[in-house]
Amino acid sequence: MMEFPPCDQLNITAWEQRYSVNLPQDMKDFYLSTDGFRLTWNYSQTGHVLPVGIMNINRIADLRRVAGLRYNFDSDLPNLLDIEFQQRNDQPQFGVRWKIFEVDACDGIGKVCLVYPPRSDGSQVDDISEFQIDYSPPDPKIWLIDRAFEWHFLAENFQAYFRMMLVHLGLPQWQLRFSGLGPAPWAAGLQTLLAPHLSHAHTSRKEYPTVDLDLGIFKFRSRNRKSTDKMKTDENLPK
């Protein structure tokens, strides 16, 4: 596990001013405690040590924006903005209005991103046709973009994603379990071998086996206490 010093408040403020967004409070608390996170663990079998799990959160300096920019010197070459029309309306877009930041490179299978939806114009109409104005900034969410530029929703916030990462032990391609593709066969076999509990992640609690523990096993009396009680009983008996 790599140790990182806490991030300075000035660095967080500078990042927010650079991209004109507010870092979520849970993510801000994380960076104030440690500027990044990286934990790797190995699996030993028959004397061979195999690297398996990687849990990674980019440093604040590596929380860079993905897409949203077009450069003049390569205008004739395709980029992420050229495939924006292929995205669905309920998914993040590669346009300049969306702000997307890389949280983890996922060892080459894609990118885990912090996605800020575009700001609304403030005008909204509720169910009873009343005009309302809401200028509150949208809450960012955690998405996965795979190598085919397909988006897959992961978590509502950074805290939920961090817990998901810990539960899945940072196993290879664990993020793809929440996509339509799924992990590769070798990665799925590794998850079944090292973390069989993940195969029941989408089942209800009622399907898990339970064991009823008899609390009476904790009610015991020492021999000395029994002998003392017997002596008191004998004394109280009529002679």
Side-chain angles (χ1 to χ4, degrees):
M1 178 176 178
M2 299 181 61
E3 296 184 1
F4 297 93
C7 183
D8 190 83
Q9 179 65 46
L10 295 177
N11 293 334
I12 296 179
T13 303
W15 184 92
E16 293 177 333
Q17 293 177 350
R18 177 182 180 183
Y19 296 108
S20 301
V21 294
N22 293 324
L23 202 64
Q25 187 61 44
D26 56 354
M27 207 166 186
K28 187 179 299 185
D29 295 338
F30 169 80
Y31 280 116
L32 288 175
S33 60
T34 174
D35 188 11
F37 179 83
R38 185 172 181 84
L39 186 148
T40 59
W41 60 277
N42 304 323
Y43 175 69
S44 178
Q45 184 179 16
T46 64
H48 300 281
V49 179
L50 305 175
V52 179
I54 300 178
M55 307 181 197
N56 182 77
I57 301 295
N58 286 346
R59 299 171 62 246
I60 189 70
D62 298 328
L63 198 64
R64 301 187 181 95
R65 189 173 181 182
V66 179
L69 301 174
R70 181 187 292 274
Y71 301 96
N72 296 327
F73 58 83
D74 60 353
S75 59
D76 295 333
L77 299 178
N79 57 24
L80 294 178
L81 292 177
D82 296 323
I83 62 174
E84 181 181 357
F85 67 93
Q86 300 180 1
Q87 305 297 324
R88 302 202 310 260
N89 294 331
D90 59 341
Q91 292 184 348
Q93 306 289 328
F94 291 116
V96 293
R97 297 187 61 197
W98 290 75
K99 295 185 178 181
I100 306 171
F101 303 93
E102 179 184 334
V103 176
D104 182 20
C106 300
D107 201 22
I109 67 170
K111 294 181 182 296
V112 173
C113 299
L114 179 69
V115 179
Y116 287 81
R119 292 177 178 269
S120 62
D121 56 1
S123 59
Q124 296 180 357
V125 179
D126 58 12
D127 297 336
I128 58 177
S129 300
E130 289 186 358
F131 186 77
Q132 296 180 350
I133 297 179
D134 183 13
Y135 292 104
S136 59
D139 296 327
K141 303 183 185 304
I142 304 295
W143 288 74
L144 169 70
I145 181 172
D146 59 24
R147 299 181 64 179
F149 299 107
E150 292 289 338
W151 288 100
H152 310 282
F153 178 76
L154 290 180
E156 288 287 341
N157 49 56
F158 172 77
Q159 185 178 12
Y161 171 75
F162 194 85
R163 291 178 177 177
M164 292 168 60
M165 180 179 65
L166 296 180
V167 170
H168 289 82
L169 308 178
L171 291 170
Q173 304 183 10
W174 71 265
Q175 295 92 345
L176 293 180
R177 297 186 69 247
F178 301 91
S179 68
L181 301 175
W186 67 269
L190 197 61
Q191 293 178 9
T192 304
L193 175 64
L194 300 179
H197 64 279
L198 296 180
S199 60
H200 304 286
H202 300 287
T203 58
S204 62
R205 292 176 59 93
K206 295 181 180 180
E207 298 180 9
Y208 285 91
T210 58
V211 177
D212 295 330
L213 183 62
D214 184 10
L215 299 180
I217 62 176
F218 299 104
K219 297 179 180 179
F220 64 93
R221 303 171 67 181
S222 62
R223 294 183 178 179
N224 295 333
R225 178 67 179 274
K226 289 182 179 180
S227 59
T228 304
D229 293 345
K230 186 177 179 180
M231 292 176 60
K232 291 182 179 180
T233 304
D234 296 339
E235 293 177 357
N236 296 331
L237 291 176
K239 297 181 180 179

